[in-house]
Amino acid sequence: MPPPLKPLPLLYSLPAVFALALLWEMGAHPDQWLSVVLQFLPQLRGVFCALLMTALALLLGHGTLRLCRFETKPPLSLSLALGWGLLSLYVCLLAAVGTLTGFSLFLKGTPWLTLLVAGVVFRDALRELIAEAKNLALQATTSIREYAKTLPAFAFPLIALVIPLGILTLLRLGLTALTPSFQYDVLEYHLPAVRQMLNTGTFAPVEGVRYTQMPQAVEALYAFGSLLEGGAEPFAPKLLHLFLALSTVGVLNALLREFKTSAALRLMAAFLFLLHPVTFKSLSDAFVEMGPALFVTAAVTTWILAEHDKKYWKLSAAFFGFAFSCKYTVAGLAIIPFMLTFALLRWRDKKTLKLSSILLVVGGAVYLPWFLRGIVFGHSLFPPLTLPMRSDTFDLSLAQCMSSYHSIHTFLSADWLRMILRRIPDVGALLFIPLLTTLVLPQPDKRRRALALFALLGYCVWCTARNPEDRFLSALLPLLAGLAVLLADTAGRFKSLCTGVLGLWIALLFITQGLGAHMQGFLQSGLGILSPREFQEKLWGKPVVEFFNAIEAATDKQKNPRVLMLFEARAAALPSYLPVEFNTVFDSGPFWRLMQDTQADNPQWVIEQLRKRGITLIAVNEAELARLLATYPAQAAATDLRYQIVQKSQRTGSSFDPAFLTQTKFYPAIYYAPCGAEVVLKRLNAFLQHTRTASPLVWQTDLGGAKLWVSKIQP
């Protein structure tokens, strides 16, 4: 008889073959691989700093939880989640001191001093963490060996096939986090806020970007990581976003352990979350969606743990406060659904009111620093909810224009019900069906039905928006993935079938998300083979990249450069040290307020005013103007006959149509100007014409009729 099959060698065989093939390829082309390694060094610095920040967050969270003296030991993943939240508040405090004193505390030594002080203050917690890490490593090794002995022989080839795919997918996520930012929202909203913190040391909002007046807990982490990294092209924001996602996986694992779920199913839940198309989209750039995902999952987990220890309820409230400090959409996606679920399940309990009060008080205390910051710098809550707290630059018409693109359906209306059905594919059938099944079928644990009700209410609130952004669903995806494996775990004789379906779905996601041909540019950029501008050229096109290169080249020779960008808001595509004035499509800015002055009829007067503000360069992107006119015009464009004619004749397959430039008056900052759109448009055209002829032209190009140009303003 042949000797019995040894499972562990077979388990490692395919990964070993993969590693040998990689080493063989490196040996065949050593010069190419050496070049890749050298180009990868800046990225390695970013990885090191992100790991260091993770260690700091874990230390802060674990040291704080030790002081609370819980009856049951909190999982380390909750310590890490709490640490991320505390670290964001710490950065908020630094910026507040800088704001009050006028002195920037964002010095290069601040992060390192923070690490040193934290290590001294929480030295006992640090020793505990080191000892626990050793124990976890030993337990993991033992558990894997014991678990492998219980598996049938046919399972090992499948496992050996999945391991390389899992490694490749995690590599893909990691390399994507090492690419330069390219998404509009990131370059217009999130990273400019980070640059403002780094350049001023305060939380003063970016003028022309109303978003920066709102809470920015995740951006605070990005700023701290970028400062710790100290590079001209920081990789920390995207890496920290990935680390927040991995922290979410840890909290999801702790949640499923409370339901006695097997290790294999917990691993499946992790991959269902990480490989979900919405998660992949969010992790493609330095968005902030993984912050709410982490804190909402942590809040729900501590809510479950509060059944054994009431102290966890306060921790759950704190996590909801951290989530709300990341993004206001959390109020509809998580906080309101949670309170409704809690009220429905415990409406007979006399302690319901008390616990609800704790949720509001503790969560509000965590959010309070951001609320006070909003009062200092302008309105704190989303307009028009806080009209009494408007800043001097607040424009109600522009705020209403933005609200028109984010309007909501009437509750229980036919449009709202159609939206609920239409957006199910964004969640995925394999996550949505378990959600409904958990609500309908009898459950061995009432907490499962509570989780399902909470997630469904959050999804329904998300669907009230007329055009809900799929990224906002990230806050609910970990719970949906957990509900899917919980249903498989309690499926009885159908458990193997349900587990197999989930496994096949994960394998499909491995192939489509991790090995897609479209990922070649991301992988090359992440490895340092493509430069940041070469990578952006693949996504934006050559003229746009040359536009940013021309701005950078022109300012290199100027003593105190300051750029005014018109119609282009991707300010973070320029070096972080370069001051830039700009405005998003739904905001006004200093330039547009200047256009409302009666003296702006004289273009030379406008140039003199810009010179007084230190502007040395003007950059105009008419191609971006055409795109914005096609996608986000003023509300009146919907009923304008000429605009509708242009809209119907728009070329298909094009990201913009220069024909929209004839409708420039519908650019929101022009249309809603108090002095009238026609007046501002006349002044703008005269100013642009005068600037192109009277000022030295640095660079220009024509993109299908839309002009992109850069011009100097002489001192």
Side-chain angles (χ1 to χ4, degrees), residues 347-377:
W347 64 276
R348 293 182 179 178
D349 194 335
K350 296 181 180 179
K351 294 183 178 179
T352 300
L353 183 60
K354 176 184 176 182
L355 294 176
S356 300
S357 301
I358 292 175
L359 175 66
L360 294 175
V361 171
V362 176
V366 170
Y367 167 70
L368 183 61
W370 300 101
F371 182 79
L372 295 176
R373 173 207 179 239
I375 293 178
V376 171
F377 290 115

PDB file of all heavy atoms in Angstrom, residues 347-377:
ATOM      1  N   TRP A 347     -38.237  47.854  24.192  1.00  0.00           N
ATOM      2  CA  TRP A 347     -39.176  48.914  24.529  1.00  0.00           C
ATOM      3  C   TRP A 347     -39.881  48.683  25.872  1.00  0.00           C
ATOM      4  O   TRP A 347     -40.375  49.625  26.491  1.00  0.00           O
ATOM      5  CB  TRP A 347     -40.207  49.073  23.412  1.00  0.00           C
ATOM      6  CG  TRP A 347     -41.103  47.869  23.207  1.00  0.00           C
ATOM      7  CD1 TRP A 347     -40.812  46.766  22.476  1.00  0.00           C
ATOM      8  CD2 TRP A 347     -42.413  47.674  23.734  1.00  0.00           C
ATOM      9  NE1 TRP A 347     -41.850  45.882  22.504  1.00  0.00           N
ATOM     10  CE2 TRP A 347     -42.863  46.414  23.269  1.00  0.00           C
ATOM     11  CE3 TRP A 347     -43.260  48.434  24.548  1.00  0.00           C
ATOM     12  CZ2 TRP A 347     -44.102  45.905  23.598  1.00  0.00           C
ATOM     13  CZ3 TRP A 347     -44.509  47.927  24.872  1.00  0.00           C
ATOM     14  CH2 TRP A 347     -44.921  46.674  24.387  1.00  0.00           C
ATOM     15  N   ARG A 348     -39.889  47.431  26.333  1.00  0.00           N
ATOM     16  CA  ARG A 348     -40.510  47.156  27.633  1.00  0.00           C
ATOM     17  C   ARG A 348     -39.522  47.296  28.793  1.00  0.00           C
ATOM     18  O   ARG A 348     -39.930  47.296  29.951  1.00  0.00           O
ATOM     19  CB  ARG A 348     -41.076  45.737  27.633  1.00  0.00           C
ATOM     20  CG  ARG A 348     -42.246  45.532  26.673  1.00  0.00           C
ATOM     21  CD  ARG A 348     -42.778  44.113  26.771  1.00  0.00           C
ATOM     22  NE  ARG A 348     -43.909  43.894  25.880  1.00  0.00           N
ATOM     23  CZ  ARG A 348     -44.539  42.731  25.744  1.00  0.00           C
ATOM     24  NH1 ARG A 348     -44.150  41.685  26.472  1.00  0.00           N
ATOM     25  NH2 ARG A 348     -45.552  42.608  24.910  1.00  0.00           N
ATOM     26  N   ASP A 349     -38.248  47.382  28.475  1.00  0.00           N
ATOM     27  CA  ASP A 349     -37.222  47.446  29.519  1.00  0.00           C
ATOM     28  C   ASP A 349     -37.171  48.865  30.101  1.00  0.00           C
ATOM     29  O   ASP A 349     -37.085  49.853  29.373  1.00  0.00           O
ATOM     30  CB  ASP A 349     -35.861  47.062  28.925  1.00  0.00           C
ATOM     31  CG  ASP A 349     -34.830  46.784  30.005  1.00  0.00           C
ATOM     32  OD1 ASP A 349     -34.980  47.309  31.126  1.00  0.00           O
ATOM     33  OD2 ASP A 349     -33.877  46.028  29.727  1.00  0.00           O
ATOM     34  N   LYS A 350     -37.200  48.955  31.428  1.00  0.00           N
ATOM     35  CA  LYS A 350     -37.165  50.257  32.088  1.00  0.00           C
ATOM     36  C   LYS A 350     -35.830  50.963  31.894  1.00  0.00           C
ATOM     37  O   LYS A 350     -35.747  52.190  32.034  1.00  0.00           O
ATOM     38  CB  LYS A 350     -37.447  50.084  33.581  1.00  0.00           C
ATOM     39  CG  LYS A 350     -38.850  49.559  33.888  1.00  0.00           C
ATOM     40  CD  LYS A 350     -39.065  49.426  35.382  1.00  0.00           C
ATOM     41  CE  LYS A 350     -40.469  48.903  35.701  1.00  0.00           C
ATOM     42  NZ  LYS A 350     -40.679  48.743  37.152  1.00  0.00           N
ATOM     43  N   LYS A 351     -34.769  50.208  31.582  1.00  0.00           N
ATOM     44  CA  LYS A 351     -33.443  50.799  31.436  1.00  0.00           C
ATOM     45  C   LYS A 351     -33.194  51.331  30.024  1.00  0.00           C
ATOM     46  O   LYS A 351     -32.122  51.858  29.744  1.00  0.00           O
ATOM     47  CB  LYS A 351     -32.365  49.764  31.774  1.00  0.00           C
ATOM     48  CG  LYS A 351     -32.375  49.328  33.235  1.00  0.00           C
ATOM     49  CD  LYS A 351     -31.239  48.362  33.499  1.00  0.00           C
ATOM     50  CE  LYS A 351     -31.205  47.938  34.972  1.00  0.00           C
ATOM     51  NZ  LYS A 351     -30.104  46.976  35.231  1.00  0.00           N
ATOM     52  N   THR A 352     -34.162  51.171  29.129  1.00  0.00           N
ATOM     53  CA  THR A 352     -33.963  51.592  27.741  1.00  0.00           C
ATOM     54  C   THR A 352     -33.665  53.079  27.642  1.00  0.00           C
ATOM     55  O   THR A 352     -32.749  53.508  26.933  1.00  0.00           O
ATOM     56  CB  THR A 352     -35.205  51.243  26.903  1.00  0.00           C
ATOM     57  OG1 THR A 352     -35.420  49.831  26.942  1.00  0.00           O
ATOM     58  CG2 THR A 352     -35.020  51.691  25.461  1.00  0.00           C
ATOM     59  N   LEU A 353     -34.424  53.890  28.365  1.00  0.00           N
ATOM     60  CA  LEU A 353     -34.215  55.340  28.331  1.00  0.00           C
ATOM     61  C   LEU A 353     -32.846  55.712  28.879  1.00  0.00           C
ATOM     62  O   LEU A 353     -32.154  56.576  28.325  1.00  0.00           O
ATOM     63  CB  LEU A 353     -35.322  56.037  29.124  1.00  0.00           C
ATOM     64  CG  LEU A 353     -35.280  57.568  29.129  1.00  0.00           C
ATOM     65  CD1 LEU A 353     -35.389  58.105  27.706  1.00  0.00           C
ATOM     66  CD2 LEU A 353     -36.397  58.131  30.006  1.00  0.00           C
ATOM     67  N   LYS A 354     -32.444  55.046  29.951  1.00  0.00           N
ATOM     68  CA  LYS A 354     -31.137  55.322  30.553  1.00  0.00           C
ATOM     69  C   LYS A 354     -30.012  54.976  29.585  1.00  0.00           C
ATOM     70  O   LYS A 354     -29.068  55.763  29.399  1.00  0.00           O
ATOM     71  CB  LYS A 354     -30.989  54.527  31.847  1.00  0.00           C
ATOM     72  CG  LYS A 354     -29.628  54.682  32.502  1.00  0.00           C
ATOM     73  CD  LYS A 354     -29.500  53.802  33.741  1.00  0.00           C
ATOM     74  CE  LYS A 354     -28.101  53.896  34.338  1.00  0.00           C
ATOM     75  NZ  LYS A 354     -27.945  53.003  35.517  1.00  0.00           N
ATOM     76  N   LEU A 355     -30.107  53.805  28.959  1.00  0.00           N
ATOM     77  CA  LEU A 355     -29.061  53.391  28.025  1.00  0.00           C
ATOM     78  C   LEU A 355     -29.034  54.286  26.793  1.00  0.00           C
ATOM     79  O   LEU A 355     -27.955  54.594  26.262  1.00  0.00           O
ATOM     80  CB  LEU A 355     -29.278  51.933  27.626  1.00  0.00           C
ATOM     81  CG  LEU A 355     -29.118  50.902  28.748  1.00  0.00           C
ATOM     82  CD1 LEU A 355     -29.452  49.511  28.257  1.00  0.00           C
ATOM     83  CD2 LEU A 355     -27.698  50.932  29.309  1.00  0.00           C
ATOM     84  N   SER A 356     -30.197  54.715  26.347  1.00  0.00           N
ATOM     85  CA  SER A 356     -30.245  55.637  25.208  1.00  0.00           C
ATOM     86  C   SER A 356     -29.597  56.970  25.567  1.00  0.00           C
ATOM     87  O   SER A 356     -28.901  57.580  24.740  1.00  0.00           O
ATOM     88  CB  SER A 356     -31.692  55.857  24.770  1.00  0.00           C
ATOM     89  OG  SER A 356     -32.298  54.640  24.381  1.00  0.00           O
ATOM     90  N   SER A 357     -29.796  57.411  26.799  1.00  0.00           N
ATOM     91  CA  SER A 357     -29.171  58.656  27.248  1.00  0.00           C
ATOM     92  C   SER A 357     -27.654  58.518  27.280  1.00  0.00           C
ATOM     93  O   SER A 357     -26.923  59.450  26.901  1.00  0.00           O
ATOM     94  CB  SER A 357     -29.693  59.034  28.636  1.00  0.00           C
ATOM     95  OG  SER A 357     -31.096  59.190  28.625  1.00  0.00           O
ATOM     96  N   ILE A 358     -27.181  57.360  27.713  1.00  0.00           N
ATOM     97  CA  ILE A 358     -25.729  57.116  27.722  1.00  0.00           C
ATOM     98  C   ILE A 358     -25.175  57.188  26.307  1.00  0.00           C
ATOM     99  O   ILE A 358     -24.101  57.760  26.059  1.00  0.00           O
ATOM    100  CB  ILE A 358     -25.423  55.746  28.368  1.00  0.00           C
ATOM    101  CG1 ILE A 358     -25.754  55.790  29.862  1.00  0.00           C
ATOM    102  CG2 ILE A 358     -23.964  55.356  28.150  1.00  0.00           C
ATOM    103  CD1 ILE A 358     -25.605  54.449  30.552  1.00  0.00           C
ATOM    104  N   LEU A 359     -25.904  56.595  25.369  1.00  0.00           N
ATOM    105  CA  LEU A 359     -25.469  56.615  23.970  1.00  0.00           C
ATOM    106  C   LEU A 359     -25.313  58.047  23.468  1.00  0.00           C
ATOM    107  O   LEU A 359     -24.295  58.394  22.842  1.00  0.00           O
ATOM    108  CB  LEU A 359     -26.478  55.853  23.104  1.00  0.00           C
ATOM    109  CG  LEU A 359     -26.232  55.886  21.588  1.00  0.00           C
ATOM    110  CD1 LEU A 359     -24.950  55.160  21.242  1.00  0.00           C
ATOM    111  CD2 LEU A 359     -27.403  55.279  20.842  1.00  0.00           C
ATOM    112  N   LEU A 360     -26.292  58.888  23.758  1.00  0.00           N
ATOM    113  CA  LEU A 360     -26.251  60.265  23.277  1.00  0.00           C
ATOM    114  C   LEU A 360     -25.186  61.088  23.998  1.00  0.00           C
ATOM    115  O   LEU A 360     -24.470  61.872  23.367  1.00  0.00           O
ATOM    116  CB  LEU A 360     -27.625  60.912  23.454  1.00  0.00           C
ATOM    117  CG  LEU A 360     -28.757  60.321  22.604  1.00  0.00           C
ATOM    118  CD1 LEU A 360     -30.087  60.961  22.974  1.00  0.00           C
ATOM    119  CD2 LEU A 360     -28.471  60.503  21.123  1.00  0.00           C
ATOM    120  N   VAL A 361     -25.061  60.883  25.320  1.00  0.00           N
ATOM    121  CA  VAL A 361     -24.119  61.698  26.101  1.00  0.00           C
ATOM    122  C   VAL A 361     -22.675  61.327  25.778  1.00  0.00           C
ATOM    123  O   VAL A 361     -21.841  62.197  25.481  1.00  0.00           O
ATOM    124  CB  VAL A 361     -24.395  61.543  27.612  1.00  0.00           C
ATOM    125  CG1 VAL A 361     -23.288  62.201  28.427  1.00  0.00           C
ATOM    126  CG2 VAL A 361     -25.747  62.149  27.963  1.00  0.00           C
ATOM    127  N   VAL A 362     -22.354  60.031  25.829  1.00  0.00           N
ATOM    128  CA  VAL A 362     -20.972  59.604  25.578  1.00  0.00           C
ATOM    129  C   VAL A 362     -20.597  59.835  24.114  1.00  0.00           C
ATOM    130  O   VAL A 362     -19.509  60.349  23.806  1.00  0.00           O
ATOM    131  CB  VAL A 362     -20.789  58.122  25.961  1.00  0.00           C
ATOM    132  CG1 VAL A 362     -19.380  57.654  25.616  1.00  0.00           C
ATOM    133  CG2 VAL A 362     -21.076  57.928  27.443  1.00  0.00           C
ATOM    134  N   GLY A 363     -21.493  59.451  23.190  1.00  0.00           N
ATOM    135  CA  GLY A 363     -21.217  59.695  21.775  1.00  0.00           C
ATOM    136  C   GLY A 363     -21.075  61.171  21.477  1.00  0.00           C
ATOM    137  O   GLY A 363     -20.196  61.574  20.711  1.00  0.00           O
ATOM    138  N   GLY A 364     -21.933  61.992  22.096  1.00  0.00           N
ATOM    139  CA  GLY A 364     -21.825  63.431  21.900  1.00  0.00           C
ATOM    140  C   GLY A 364     -20.544  64.008  22.470  1.00  0.00           C
ATOM    141  O   GLY A 364     -19.960  64.933  21.897  1.00  0.00           O
ATOM    142  N   ALA A 365     -20.071  63.444  23.590  1.00  0.00           N
ATOM    143  CA  ALA A 365     -18.812  63.925  24.183  1.00  0.00           C
ATOM    144  C   ALA A 365     -17.628  63.643  23.264  1.00  0.00           C
ATOM    145  O   ALA A 365     -16.700  64.455  23.152  1.00  0.00           O
ATOM    146  CB  ALA A 365     -18.607  63.262  25.546  1.00  0.00           C
ATOM    147  N   VAL A 366     -17.643  62.483  22.604  1.00  0.00           N
ATOM    148  CA  VAL A 366     -16.569  62.150  21.663  1.00  0.00           C
ATOM    149  C   VAL A 366     -16.600  63.090  20.463  1.00  0.00           C
ATOM    150  O   VAL A 366     -15.557  63.517  19.954  1.00  0.00           O
ATOM    151  CB  VAL A 366     -16.703  60.681  21.209  1.00  0.00           C
ATOM    152  CG1 VAL A 366     -15.752  60.375  20.062  1.00  0.00           C
ATOM    153  CG2 VAL A 366     -16.443  59.744  22.386  1.00  0.00           C
ATOM    154  N   TYR A 367     -17.813  63.426  20.024  1.00  0.00           N
ATOM    155  CA  TYR A 367     -17.961  64.302  18.852  1.00  0.00           C
ATOM    156  C   TYR A 367     -17.757  65.776  19.201  1.00  0.00           C
ATOM    157  O   TYR A 367     -17.491  66.594  18.309  1.00  0.00           O
ATOM    158  CB  TYR A 367     -19.355  64.082  18.251  1.00  0.00           C
ATOM    159  CG  TYR A 367     -19.774  65.119  17.245  1.00  0.00           C
ATOM    160  CD1 TYR A 367     -19.171  65.184  15.990  1.00  0.00           C
ATOM    161  CD2 TYR A 367     -20.769  66.051  17.546  1.00  0.00           C
ATOM    162  CE1 TYR A 367     -19.553  66.144  15.068  1.00  0.00           C
ATOM    163  CE2 TYR A 367     -21.159  67.009  16.634  1.00  0.00           C
ATOM    164  CZ  TYR A 367     -20.550  67.049  15.392  1.00  0.00           C
ATOM    165  OH  TYR A 367     -20.924  67.993  14.482  1.00  0.00           O
ATOM    166  N   LEU A 368     -17.855  66.140  20.472  1.00  0.00           N
ATOM    167  CA  LEU A 368     -17.844  67.537  20.898  1.00  0.00           C
ATOM    168  C   LEU A 368     -16.656  68.347  20.367  1.00  0.00           C
ATOM    169  O   LEU A 368     -16.857  69.491  19.924  1.00  0.00           O
ATOM    170  CB  LEU A 368     -17.885  67.612  22.428  1.00  0.00           C
ATOM    171  CG  LEU A 368     -17.958  69.018  23.035  1.00  0.00           C
ATOM    172  CD1 LEU A 368     -19.228  69.731  22.572  1.00  0.00           C
ATOM    173  CD2 LEU A 368     -17.895  68.949  24.558  1.00  0.00           C
ATOM    174  N   PRO A 369     -15.403  67.843  20.393  1.00  0.00           N
ATOM    175  CA  PRO A 369     -14.294  68.657  19.867  1.00  0.00           C
ATOM    176  C   PRO A 369     -14.508  69.090  18.420  1.00  0.00           C
ATOM    177  O   PRO A 369     -14.163  70.217  18.052  1.00  0.00           O
ATOM    178  CB  PRO A 369     -13.086  67.726  20.004  1.00  0.00           C
ATOM    179  CG  PRO A 369     -13.454  66.796  21.109  1.00  0.00           C
ATOM    180  CD  PRO A 369     -14.911  66.579  20.974  1.00  0.00           C
ATOM    181  N   TRP A 370     -15.071  68.211  17.607  1.00  0.00           N
ATOM    182  CA  TRP A 370     -15.317  68.568  16.209  1.00  0.00           C
ATOM    183  C   TRP A 370     -16.463  69.582  16.114  1.00  0.00           C
ATOM    184  O   TRP A 370     -16.444  70.454  15.228  1.00  0.00           O
ATOM    185  CB  TRP A 370     -15.644  67.318  15.405  1.00  0.00           C
ATOM    186  CG  TRP A 370     -14.535  66.306  15.427  1.00  0.00           C
ATOM    187  CD1 TRP A 370     -14.473  65.173  16.184  1.00  0.00           C
ATOM    188  CD2 TRP A 370     -13.318  66.367  14.693  1.00  0.00           C
ATOM    189  NE1 TRP A 370     -13.288  64.513  15.955  1.00  0.00           N
ATOM    190  CE2 TRP A 370     -12.560  65.229  15.034  1.00  0.00           C
ATOM    191  CE3 TRP A 370     -12.787  67.265  13.766  1.00  0.00           C
ATOM    192  CZ2 TRP A 370     -11.314  64.966  14.494  1.00  0.00           C
ATOM    193  CZ3 TRP A 370     -11.552  67.009  13.217  1.00  0.00           C
ATOM    194  CH2 TRP A 370     -10.826  65.869  13.588  1.00  0.00           C
ATOM    195  N   PHE A 371     -17.438  69.457  16.979  1.00  0.00           N
ATOM    196  CA  PHE A 371     -18.542  70.410  16.981  1.00  0.00           C
ATOM    197  C   PHE A 371     -18.046  71.809  17.358  1.00  0.00           C
ATOM    198  O   PHE A 371     -18.419  72.813  16.728  1.00  0.00           O
ATOM    199  CB  PHE A 371     -19.623  69.947  17.959  1.00  0.00           C
ATOM    200  CG  PHE A 371     -20.825  70.834  18.001  1.00  0.00           C
ATOM    201  CD1 PHE A 371     -21.800  70.750  17.022  1.00  0.00           C
ATOM    202  CD2 PHE A 371     -20.983  71.759  19.025  1.00  0.00           C
ATOM    203  CE1 PHE A 371     -22.917  71.576  17.054  1.00  0.00           C
ATOM    204  CE2 PHE A 371     -22.091  72.586  19.069  1.00  0.00           C
ATOM    205  CZ  PHE A 371     -23.063  72.498  18.079  1.00  0.00           C
ATOM    206  N   LEU A 372     -17.183  71.888  18.369  1.00  0.00           N
ATOM    207  CA  LEU A 372     -16.625  73.176  18.770  1.00  0.00           C
ATOM    208  C   LEU A 372     -15.764  73.771  17.666  1.00  0.00           C
ATOM    209  O   LEU A 372     -15.778  74.981  17.436  1.00  0.00           O
ATOM    210  CB  LEU A 372     -15.810  73.011  20.059  1.00  0.00           C
ATOM    211  CG  LEU A 372     -16.611  72.599  21.302  1.00  0.00           C
ATOM    212  CD1 LEU A 372     -15.677  72.373  22.481  1.00  0.00           C
ATOM    213  CD2 LEU A 372     -17.664  73.637  21.637  1.00  0.00           C
ATOM    214  N   ARG A 373     -15.020  72.915  16.990  1.00  0.00           N
ATOM    215  CA  ARG A 373     -14.218  73.388  15.858  1.00  0.00           C
ATOM    216  C   ARG A 373     -15.106  74.007  14.786  1.00  0.00           C
ATOM    217  O   ARG A 373     -14.772  75.033  14.188  1.00  0.00           O
ATOM    218  CB  ARG A 373     -13.430  72.229  15.269  1.00  0.00           C
ATOM    219  CG  ARG A 373     -12.698  72.580  13.977  1.00  0.00           C
ATOM    220  CD  ARG A 373     -12.531  71.338  13.139  1.00  0.00           C
ATOM    221  NE  ARG A 373     -11.864  71.667  11.894  1.00  0.00           N
ATOM    222  CZ  ARG A 373     -12.402  71.448  10.703  1.00  0.00           C
ATOM    223  NH1 ARG A 373     -13.597  70.921  10.602  1.00  0.00           N
ATOM    224  NH2 ARG A 373     -11.731  71.752   9.602  1.00  0.00           N
ATOM    225  N   GLY A 374     -16.272  73.376  14.554  1.00  0.00           N
ATOM    226  CA  GLY A 374     -17.192  73.910  13.562  1.00  0.00           C
ATOM    227  C   GLY A 374     -17.737  75.266  13.951  1.00  0.00           C
ATOM    228  O   GLY A 374     -17.935  76.140  13.103  1.00  0.00           O
ATOM    229  N   ILE A 375     -17.991  75.472  15.245  1.00  0.00           N
ATOM    230  CA  ILE A 375     -18.492  76.770  15.710  1.00  0.00           C
ATOM    231  C   ILE A 375     -17.419  77.848  15.524  1.00  0.00           C
ATOM    232  O   ILE A 375     -17.704  78.979  15.128  1.00  0.00           O
ATOM    233  CB  ILE A 375     -18.928  76.681  17.182  1.00  0.00           C
ATOM    234  CG1 ILE A 375     -20.157  75.770  17.306  1.00  0.00           C
ATOM    235  CG2 ILE A 375     -19.235  78.065  17.741  1.00  0.00           C
ATOM    236  CD1 ILE A 375     -20.629  75.574  18.719  1.00  0.00           C
ATOM    237  N   VAL A 376     -16.157  77.486  15.761  1.00  0.00           N
ATOM    238  CA  VAL A 376     -15.065  78.452  15.620  1.00  0.00           C
ATOM    239  C   VAL A 376     -14.879  78.867  14.164  1.00  0.00           C
ATOM    240  O   VAL A 376     -14.716  80.046  13.842  1.00  0.00           O
ATOM    241  CB  VAL A 376     -13.750  77.856  16.176  1.00  0.00           C
ATOM    242  CG1 VAL A 376     -12.571  78.764  15.844  1.00  0.00           C
ATOM    243  CG2 VAL A 376     -13.864  77.654  17.678  1.00  0.00           C
ATOM    244  N   PHE A 377     -14.930  77.886  13.245  1.00  0.00           N
ATOM    245  CA  PHE A 377     -14.603  78.163  11.851  1.00  0.00           C
ATOM    246  C   PHE A 377     -15.814  78.304  10.938  1.00  0.00           C
ATOM    247  O   PHE A 377     -15.673  78.527   9.755  1.00  0.00           O
ATOM    248  CB  PHE A 377     -13.702  77.055  11.299  1.00  0.00           C
ATOM    249  CG  PHE A 377     -12.328  77.065  11.873  1.00  0.00           C
ATOM    250  CD1 PHE A 377     -11.879  76.020  12.659  1.00  0.00           C
ATOM    251  CD2 PHE A 377     -11.478  78.130  11.646  1.00  0.00           C
ATOM    252  CE1 PHE A 377     -10.604  76.017  13.186  1.00  0.00           C
ATOM    253  CE2 PHE A 377     -10.202  78.147  12.174  1.00  0.00           C
ATOM    254  CZ  PHE A 377      -9.759  77.091  12.950  1.00  0.00           C
TER     255      PHE A 377
END
